[in-house]
Amino acid sequence: MTESLRLVPVTPANIEMAIAVKVGPEQEHFVSPVVKSLAEAYVHPNVAWPRIILDGDGPVGFVMAFLDLDWDGKGVDFRSGLWRLNITPDAQGRGVGRFAVESVAGEIRRRGGTRMYVTWEPGAGGPEGFYRKLGFQLTGEKSEGETVAVLDVTTRPERVPVAGP
């Protein structure tokens, strides 16, 4: 499946396609809807990197990275990572999430970064196992009650086609 996956920027022409991406009902409390992500991207245009994940021409997910975010607001600790990941139920377990994470890692590397951060809401049925399987290591930090983990992106393969700036 991953050979036909690609990322495209969210534009006025495809915004409805992005908003239509939904996770399963059992996952809704773990991830915000795409429309909230797009609102956050609007108010944080210098750090947000929102993309639709397409399989061929059909949407199967949404990913948004944060790039060079002032982590604690003190102007000292700037981080990049995965802000949001929404995968449609029928696309889960088919490599779409891995593709999205590798795509964000590739963008971070392209910009000279070496680490990729992610946070998640802890709980049964949550995404911790997925991220840990991909190599994310716990930092011991919490961010707004969420678990923080980090991945060294210098050792990850570069193999993702990304469209747009």
Side-chain angles (χ1 to χ4, degrees):
M1 169 173 199
T2 56
E3 293 78 37
S4 62
L5 293 175
R6 60 193 172 97
L7 297 183
V8 296
V10 179
T11 67
N14 66 20
I15 192 169
E16 293 299 327
M17 180 187 297
I19 292 170
V21 171
K22 309 269 191 247
V23 298
E26 71 284 356
Q27 297 171 325
E28 288 175 347
H29 66 283
F30 287 112
V31 64
S32 294
V34 172
V35 71
K36 180 177 181 188
S37 297
L38 294 176
E40 290 168 330
Y42 176 80
V43 299
H44 300 285
N46 296 329
V47 297
W49 192 76
R51 299 294 187 266
I52 302 170
I53 307 165
L54 297 178
D55 183 7
D57 291 328
V60 292
F62 172 85
V63 63
M64 187 164 76
F66 58 91
L67 301 167
D68 296 320
L69 174 72
D70 185 355
W71 188 255
D72 58 8
K74 296 178 182 174
V76 177
D77 185 8
F78 290 87
R79 298 183 184 186
S80 296
L82 189 64
W83 192 344
R84 196 72 32 78
L85 181 59
N86 305 61
I87 306 297
T88 60
D90 61 328
Q92 291 183 18
R94 297 170 46 198
V96 177
R98 176 181 289 276
F99 169 83
V101 170
E102 289 175 356
S103 297
V104 171
E107 183 64 17
I108 291 169
R109 272 193 309 276
R110 187 182 76 72
R111 293 170 181 244
T114 59
R115 292 183 289 190
M116 174 177 174
Y117 288 86
V118 67
T119 65
W120 64 79
E121 184 74 32
E128 180 173 359
F130 168 74
Y131 292 122
R132 298 295 300 268
K133 185 176 169 184
L134 292 178
F136 282 90
Q137 302 295 314
L138 300 176
T139 65
E141 298 172 88
K142 293 283 186 182
S143 176
E144 298 179 7
E146 294 189 348
T147 301
V148 179
V150 65
L151 178 71
D152 176 354
V153 299
T154 62
T155 61
R156 308 303 285 184
E158 183 76 52
R159 58 166 216 165
V160 287
V162 178

